[in-house]
């Protein structure tokens, strides 16, 4: 006989009835919610109003790629390499004025400074807009990295650029390349992290951007595009340098200053005459331009005319085919390296020193140190030491520094090469040589110490100058009329020694006196006289 368990009272039966009703309603509700999809069915869950999964709003600050430790690590590494790049940038900036030990570049420090600046701007841009990844910024950075890689290959492949940039320039361009690649990798990592967190916290990746984010994307793209343009111009300038490297110097290059850099020296003519005596050699010193730009042609004509038998000239550091010297570089330092180059070339004189403009200061220092070998001094519109304040004016120094910083972009050189068809020789020592980083750096070095170290050297040389050395001064009449102080200073230089041979004023000649026929004839006449003494 079976036994049934009946409810003990009416309340319990009522409860069971309600449970059955609720269950039926639940089934009906489930069946209602799981109907077949139609055109009203949502494709994605409601991320904000859903009660089953609590998604966050895309604008919630909690939705951030910084939630991932990978993104935080990438940012930390970016901060570290930015600090390291800034330290290197400061060293490159200092090396323009005073060369730290081991950081000498034989070309100029401006290319290394330019590449370091590119790396620093790239990293700063990456940090400023780190949380807002941008595909245009990544594309521009990839282009920059490719251009920098081309620069690396070119710098290492061409012997002359490798010789001039040394490890400083090579390390700077390699570092800039790596930083461009790192910027792309960092931006891509942030994009991945942003997508991951949006999918996890909001249910899907967010495609829209706020106005602020669009402004940030625009700014980062503009900054990186400017960097890419700078790198493109630098690549073009480096290409011109590589093409110019094919032009061999007319003379030989000799190591000086404990083999830190090389000086270009050219000599022409026999060392001894028909009687076996040593030939008096005219040693030319260029003024504001290289000797090759004017005085060399004059010297060749003088040899052909029989006015002189032999001549030599050396390019000062940073000029034409000579390497740049470490900073600072005064007149006495330049005179010392000239003496070393002459000694290594086996040149012993006797000398007649022919100099122009500011080059006369260097010749005077050289004469005071080699008085026994100097047969005479011919100064062509020379600069007086009292006027060195003009050379060392702060405004001029700042303009030279700014011009040097911009020189890797080739703003003058590239258009001149394309539109005016300037040749390699013109860029090395001709009318376009002033645009090269080496020449700008040499003039900046000259300016930095003009009114201090160089003035001291020249004043000291005057006191020890042999008083019996014959002196000839050839002055520009045009310069005298333009400059009220010029005549009195030229007159003072005629008293450099007690043996003044001549003081000639070429009335219609410019500062480069040899550019007029009258000036060339006068200089050649006086040189013939000094060589024959």
């Amino acid at each position: 006989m079976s036994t049934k368990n009946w409810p003990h009272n009416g309340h319990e039966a009522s409860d069971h009835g309600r449970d059955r009703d609720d269950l039926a309603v639940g089934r009906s509700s489930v069946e209602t919610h799981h109907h077949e999809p139609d055109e009203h069915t949502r494709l994605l869950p409601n991320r904000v109003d859903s009660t089953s999964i609590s998604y966050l709003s895309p604008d919630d600050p909690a939705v951030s790629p910084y939630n991932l430790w990978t993104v935080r690590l990438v940012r930390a590494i970016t901060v570290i390499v930015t600090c390291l790049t800034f330290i290197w940038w400061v060293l490159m900036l200092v090396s323009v004025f005073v060369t730290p030990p081991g950081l000498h570049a034989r070309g100029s420090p401006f290319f290394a400074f330019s590449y370091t600046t590119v790396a620093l701007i790239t990293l700063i841009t990456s940090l400023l807009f780190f949380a807002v990844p941008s595909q245009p910024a990544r594309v521009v950075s990839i282009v920059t990295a490719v251009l920098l890689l081309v620069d690396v290959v070119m710098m290492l492949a061409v012997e002359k650029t490798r010789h001039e940039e040394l490890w400083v320039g090579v390390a700077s361009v390699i570092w800039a390349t790596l930083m461009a690649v790192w910027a792309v990798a960092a931006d891509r990592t942030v994009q991945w992290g942003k997508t991951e967190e949006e999918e996890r916290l909001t249910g899907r990746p967010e495609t829209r951007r706020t106005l602020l984010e669009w402004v940030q994307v625009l700014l980062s793209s503009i900054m990186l595009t400017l960097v890419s343009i700078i790198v493109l111009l630098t690549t073009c300038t480096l290409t011109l340098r590589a093409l110019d490297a094919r032009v061999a110097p007319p003379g030989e290059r000799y190591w000086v200053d404990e083999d830190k850099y090389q000086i270009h020296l050219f000599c022409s003519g026999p060392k001894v005459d028909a009687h076996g005596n040593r030939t008096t050699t005219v040693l030319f010193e260029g003024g504001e331009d290289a000797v090759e730009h004017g005085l060399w042609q004059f010297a060749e004509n003088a040899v052909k005319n029989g006015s002189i038998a032999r001549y030599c000239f050396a390019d000062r550091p940073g000029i034409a085919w000579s390497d740049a010297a470490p900073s600072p570089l005064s007149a006495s330092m330049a005179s010392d390296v000239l003496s070393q180059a002459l000694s290594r070339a086996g040149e012993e004189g006797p000398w007649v020193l022919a100099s122009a403009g500011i080059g006369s200061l260097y010749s005077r220092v050289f004469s005071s140190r080699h008085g026994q070998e100097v047969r005479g001094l011919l100064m062509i519109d020379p600069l007086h030491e009292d006027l060195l304040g003009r050379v060392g004016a702060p405004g001029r120094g700042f303009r030279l520094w700014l011009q040097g910083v911009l020189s890797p972009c080739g703003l003058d050189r590239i258009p001149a090469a394309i539109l005016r068809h300037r040749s390699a020789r013109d860029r090395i020592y001709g009318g376009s040589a002033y645009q090269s980083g080496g020449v700008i750096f040499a003039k900046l070095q000259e300016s930095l110490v003009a009114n201090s170290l160089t003035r001291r050297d020249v004043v000291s040389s005057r006191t020890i100058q042999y008083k019996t050395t014959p002196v000839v001064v050839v002055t520009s009449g045009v310069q005298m009329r333009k400059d009220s102080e010029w005549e009195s200073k030229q007159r003072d230089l005629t008293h450099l020694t007690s043996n003044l041979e001549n003081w000639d004023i070429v009335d219609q000649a410019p500062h480069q006196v040899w550019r007029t026929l009258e000036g060339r004839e006068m200089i050649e006449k006086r040189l013939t006289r000094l060589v024959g003494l």
Side-chain angles (χ1 to χ4, degrees):
M1 182 176 186
S2 62
T3 304
K4 294 183 179 179
N5 296 326
W6 298 101
H8 296 289
N9 52 50
H11 292 290
E12 189 173 347
S14 175
D15 289 342
H16 279 283
R18 282 196 296 268
D19 289 342
R20 285 193 298 271
D21 293 340
D22 291 342
L23 182 60
V25 171
R27 289 196 194 98
S28 174
S29 175
V30 170
E31 291 173 357
T32 302
H33 285 301
H34 286 80
H35 62 74
E36 292 296 323
D38 55 23
E39 67 273 13
H40 301 292
T41 304
R42 295 179 61 90
L43 298 178
L44 293 173
N46 189 328
R47 297 172 295 161
V48 179
D49 302 327
S50 174
T51 56
S52 58
I53 303 176
S54 57
Y55 287 116
L56 299 177
S57 168
D59 298 325
D60 195 308
V63 183
S64 170
Y66 289 117
N67 295 335
L68 300 177
W69 70 267
T70 305
V71 175
R72 295 197 299 271
L73 178 62
V74 169
R75 180 175 173 80
I77 294 175
T78 306
V79 171
I80 293 172
V81 295
T82 302
C83 293
L84 293 175
T85 304
F86 178 74
I87 294 172
W88 183 251
W89 182 85
V90 171
L91 287 174
M92 292 299 97
L93 178 62
V94 170
S95 68
V96 175
F97 305 99
V98 180
T99 305
L103 296 182
H104 170 226
R106 300 190 189 111
S108 77
F110 296 125
F111 262 81
F113 180 78
S114 176
Y115 287 125
T116 308
T117 303
V118 165
L120 186 61
I121 294 176
T122 301
L123 290 171
I124 290 176
T125 304
S126 178
L127 285 175
L128 287 176
F129 309 106
F130 191 81
V132 186
S134 166
Q135 185 175 3
R138 288 198 296 274
V139 172
V140 173
S141 294
I142 291 172
V143 172
T144 302
V146 171
L147 289 172
L148 287 169
L149 184 60
V150 171
D151 289 358
V152 172
V153 174
M154 199 182 313
M155 192 176 292
L156 293 175
V158 180
E159 182 182 359
K160 191 171 189 296
T161 56
R162 190 170 65 248
H163 167 86
E164 290 177 344
E165 295 301 325
L166 290 176
W167 76 272
V168 178
V170 174
S172 297
V173 67
I174 291 177
W175 182 257
T177 306
L178 293 176
M179 292 307 99
V181 174
W182 174 258
V184 175
D187 193 83
R188 189 66 189 86
T189 302
V190 175
Q191 179 66 62
W192 165 81
K194 185 173 180 293
T195 302
E196 286 288 315
E197 287 301 284
E198 287 171 350
E199 288 182 349
R200 185 175 68 88
L201 299 176
T202 69
R204 65 183 176 89
E206 186 62 40
T207 57
R208 67 181 179 87
R209 293 183 186 270
T210 64
L211 178 60
L212 177 60
E213 288 176 333
W214 279 117
V215 171
Q216 291 176 320
V217 168
L218 178 63
L219 290 176
S220 65
S221 300
I222 290 175
M223 292 178 66
L224 293 175
T225 300
L226 290 176
V227 169
S228 187
I229 292 173
I230 291 173
V231 174
L232 175 61
L233 293 174
T234 304
T235 303
C236 294
T237 305
L238 191 63
T239 303
L240 287 178
R241 287 179 58 188
L243 294 174
D244 295 346
R246 298 179 301 176
V247 181
E252 298 293 333
R253 287 157 50 91
Y254 297 95
W255 289 101
V256 295
D257 194 10
E258 299 179 350
D259 295 345
K260 292 178 183 175
Y261 59 99
Q262 291 180 319
I263 291 295
H264 171 240
L265 176 67
F266 175 78
C267 293
S268 177
K271 286 189 176 183
V272 294
D273 58 20
H275 303 288
N277 299 319
R278 285 194 299 172
T279 304
T280 299
T281 302
V282 179
L283 182 59
F284 285 94
E285 183 70 49
E288 290 70 26
D289 300 319
V291 176
E292 292 91 337
H293 190 47
L295 278 176
W296 187 16
Q297 293 76 14
F298 166 81
E300 284 290 328
N301 289 330
V303 172
K304 292 177 182 178
N305 296 337
S307 302
I308 61 176
R310 191 168 192 272
Y311 70 91
C312 291
F313 67 82
D315 298 319
R316 290 198 298 274
I319 305 296
W321 279 284
S322 288
D323 296 334
S327 292
L329 180 70
S330 65
S332 64
M333 297 173 187
S335 178
D336 288 342
V337 297
L338 172 60
S339 300
Q340 292 178 34
L342 291 170
S343 176
R344 292 202 168 188
E347 298 291 341
E348 300 176 354
W351 311 105
V352 168
L353 306 182
S355 55
I358 195 171
S360 300
L361 300 175
Y362 296 90
S363 288
R364 286 171 56 186
V365 174
F366 182 88
S367 174
S368 67
R369 298 184 176 189
H370 301 270
Q372 291 183 345
E373 295 92 29
V374 175
R375 296 276 183 86
L377 275 169
L378 186 145
M379 296 182 288
I380 307 168
D381 212 28
L383 179 70
H384 194 281
E385 60 267 26
D386 290 346
L387 301 180
L388 277 171
R390 302 177 181 178
V391 179
R396 181 175 183 268
F398 177 76
R399 287 193 299 272
L400 286 170
W401 175 81
L402 185 60
Q403 188 180 357
V405 169
L406 296 176
S407 63
C409 296
L411 299 179
D412 294 326
R413 303 184 80 184
I414 297 172
I418 297 174
L419 302 178
R420 300 180 184 177
H421 306 289
R422 297 295 189 187
S423 65
R425 294 184 181 277
D426 191 63
R427 290 189 294 269
I428 295 172
Y429 62 79
S432 299
Y434 73 94
Q435 303 165 353
S436 71
V439 173
I440 296 171
F441 183 56
K443 291 186 178 297
L444 178 59
Q445 287 180 310
E446 202 170 59
S447 175
L448 291 173
V449 298
N451 212 22
S452 54
L453 298 179
T454 293
R455 179 179 171 81
R456 180 203 64 190
D457 295 339
V458 177
V459 170
S460 299
S461 71
R462 190 161 190 163
T463 61
I464 60 175
Q465 171 64 50
Y466 277 40
K467 299 304 178 183
T468 57
T469 303
V471 170
V472 173
V473 179
V474 181
T475 302
S476 161
V478 174
Q479 189 69 20
M480 283 180 58
R481 291 189 292 272
K482 285 171 52 179
D483 192 334
S484 58
E485 294 184 85
W486 202 257
E487 180 180 358
S488 62
K489 299 305 178 183
Q490 296 288 294
R491 187 181 302 277
D492 181 68
L493 288 173
T494 62
H495 302 293
L496 185 61
T497 70
S498 58
N499 189 4
L500 176 65
E501 285 288 325
N502 295 95
W503 179 23
D504 302 296
I505 301 175
V506 185
D507 190 58
Q508 299 300 321
H511 181 54
Q512 293 85 6
V513 179
W514 60 90
R515 296 191 183 277
T516 64
L517 177 61
E518 183 184 4
R520 288 194 298 272
E521 291 177 345
M522 183 62 68
I523 296 171
E524 196 169 326
K525 179 180 177 182
R526 299 311 179 200
L527 269 181
T528 304
R529 169 67 177 165
L530 289 175
V531 170
L533 291 176

